[in-house]
């Protein structure tokens, strides 16, 4: 990936998940932004984005972070939001037996006390494959993969959702469902 691509993708994550107001962009409750607005506002911040470039970022994003609406007019982040203005109505889904959560070893003692909590984001993020978990954990230090007993949680009434890009979401994970 070239630098412009990576920088623009990070900028999109920032405005579509965290701080749309920092550039004057509005997102609706479902997280959608009007692409023509986004292009104009991004240009003011020095990001040269045209429709084709945006489309290629959406298609080539390793984690499929963004999605363009069927009519081609709007874009949103599939998951990962911290902005409270967005509240995507994900539909509930039965999880597999287990899912993974990658984190940093230095967080383990706190996780033992509190379980997994969403921190800045709206949900705790879980993945189906260890590799993704490992990469995610690495962002905060020496990584460790936690195994989450998601079916057991489901049986006890915890709700699970899956975003368009396959990432699983839940509100919190008490420590008793975590295998370190
Ligand atoms: C940790 C990436 C101490 C948690 C990925 C994580 C993901 C605790 C960090 C998405 C804790 C929060 C989300 C507790 C949780 N005590 N630490 N009680 N509970 N933590 O970035 O899951 O590349 O908000 O383990 O693919 O790391 O951005 O969440 O280490 O889907 O597209 O607190 O971000 O996607 O960190 O990552 P984050 P995450 P992108």
């Amino acid at each position: 990936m070239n630098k412009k691509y990576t920088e623009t993708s990070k900028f999109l994550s920032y405005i579509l998940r965290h701080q749309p107001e920092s550039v004057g962009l509005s997102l609706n409750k479902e997280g959608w932004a009007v692409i023509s607005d986004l292009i104009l506002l991004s240009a003011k911040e020095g990001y040269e984005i045209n429709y084709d470039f945006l489309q290629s970022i959406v298609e080539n994003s390793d984690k499929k972070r963004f999605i363009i609406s069927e009519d081609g007019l709007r874009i949103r982040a599939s998951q990962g939001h911290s902005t409270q203005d967005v509240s995507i109505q994900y539909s509930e889904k039965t999880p597999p037996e287990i899912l993974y959560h990658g984190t940093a070893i230095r967080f383990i003692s706190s996780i033992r006390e509190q379980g997994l909590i969403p921190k800045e984001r709206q949900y705790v993020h879980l993945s189906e494959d260890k590799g993704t978990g490992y990469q995610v954990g690495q962002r905060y230090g020496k990584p460790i993969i936690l195994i989450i007993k998601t079916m057991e949680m489901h049986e006890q009434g915890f709700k699970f959702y899956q975003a368009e890009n396959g990432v699983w979401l839940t509100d919190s994970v008490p420590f008793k469902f975590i295998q370190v």
Side-chain angles (χ1 to χ4, degrees):
M1 285 310 144
N2 67 36
K3 191 164 168 249
K4 184 180 173 200
Y5 180 100
T6 310
E7 275 177 8
T8 308
S9 176
K10 286 192 173 159
F11 172 68
L12 290 176
S13 287
Y14 181 68
I15 61 174
L16 292 173
R17 286 171 166 174
H18 308 301
Q19 302 277 335
E21 66 282 359
S22 67
V23 298
L25 184 68
S26 10
L27 307 185
N28 72 9
K29 271 276 165 218
E30 287 290 316
W32 295 105
V34 174
I35 290 178
S36 53
D37 292 350
L38 181 146
I39 289 175
L40 281 176
L41 292 165
S42 301
K44 285 191 194 159
E45 303 295 316
Y47 291 88
E48 265 178 62
I49 308 176
N50 61 27
Y51 195 89
D52 288 349
F53 185 46
L54 198 63
Q55 208 168 18
S56 80
I57 291 178
V58 171
E59 281 165 14
N60 298 317
S61 158
D62 50 351
K63 294 184 184 161
K64 299 271 171 249
R65 293 180 179 90
F66 315 107
I67 182 165
I68 290 179
S69 59
E70 275 180 24
D71 60 12
L73 298 177
R74 296 184 294 169
I75 183 168
R76 78 171 175 191
S78 297
Q79 41 71 227
H81 299 83
S82 64
T83 172
Q84 295 301 325
D85 297 342
V86 170
S87 156
I88 298 182
Q89 293 293 303
Y90 295 106
S91 43
E92 248 184 277
K93 198 168 167 187
T94 306
E97 190 64 36
I98 60 158
L99 286 169
Y100 300 101
H101 177 89
T103 188
I105 289 179
R106 66 192 167 95
F107 294 154
I108 292 297
S109 61
S110 162
I111 292 173
R112 270 184 209 282
E113 282 170 25
Q114 305 179 330
L116 286 171
I117 53 173
K119 294 278 194 79
E120 306 297 315
R121 307 203 197 229
Q122 295 180 354
Y123 295 98
V124 169
H125 293 219
L126 305 172
S127 63
E128 281 175 11
D129 67 298
K130 273 191 192 170
T132 306
Y134 199 80
Q135 267 179 11
V136 171
Q138 236 167 7
R139 295 175 307 152
Y140 294 110
K142 204 161 182 285
I144 180 169
I145 305 286
L146 309 179
I147 297 175
I148 316 297
K149 298 175 199 162
T150 41
M151 182 48 80
E152 215 172 297
M153 287 178 71
H154 168 71
E155 284 164 1
Q156 294 189 29
F158 287 83
K159 292 180 179 159
F160 289 85
Y161 313 93
Q162 194 176 27
E164 287 119 343
N165 62 354
V167 172
W168 285 86
L169 308 168
T170 194
D171 291 327
S172 63
V173 181
F175 188 68
K176 63 175 176 174
F177 298 109
I178 301 176
Q179 214 172 299
V180 179

